[in-house]
Amino acid sequence: MRLYWGYMVAAALVVAWSQQWALPVIASLSVGVTAYAGFQVPVWCGAVNRDGQTYCRNNAYGVLMGCSKRQHRWQKIKMIVLRSKVGNVGRSVFPTAKEKFNGALALGGLLSAVAAVIVPVLTGG
């Protein structure tokens, strides 16, 4: 249960938007979902191995983080920043359907947090 608390927060976020809860609650749930998916959800590492064609299948935590190998810890974040490596980001960050789902969860949480901040500005409340 400790590893999968973010999915319950994601479900609460869906309920919060559908029931029109207070926007600070929605914003905090959104930040929780984004942080969980980005840095704590159990996934494969997905960093490129030394042969340059296969990907690391060690356990890791978070879509953005690598496994316990020092070289893999920041490799995925470097690929996002370095222009020559952007094409490999999709294959390394999201190698399986589970990682794709968790990436969508992180993006949804981030968009929800932005919407929770913008909605009061636009509606004046």
Side-chain angles (χ1 to χ4, degrees), residues 23-24 114-125:
L23 290 175
V114 169
V117 171
I118 291 176
V119 166
V121 171
L122 295 177
T123 60

Side-chain angles (χ1 to χ4, degrees), residues 71-83:
Q71 183 179 4
H72 291 183
R73 288 186 191 150
W74 295 104
Q75 183 180 4
K76 289 196 265 184
I77 293 175
K78 286 180 188 176
M79 280 194 301
I80 293 170
V81 174
L82 295 176
R83 194 169 182 190

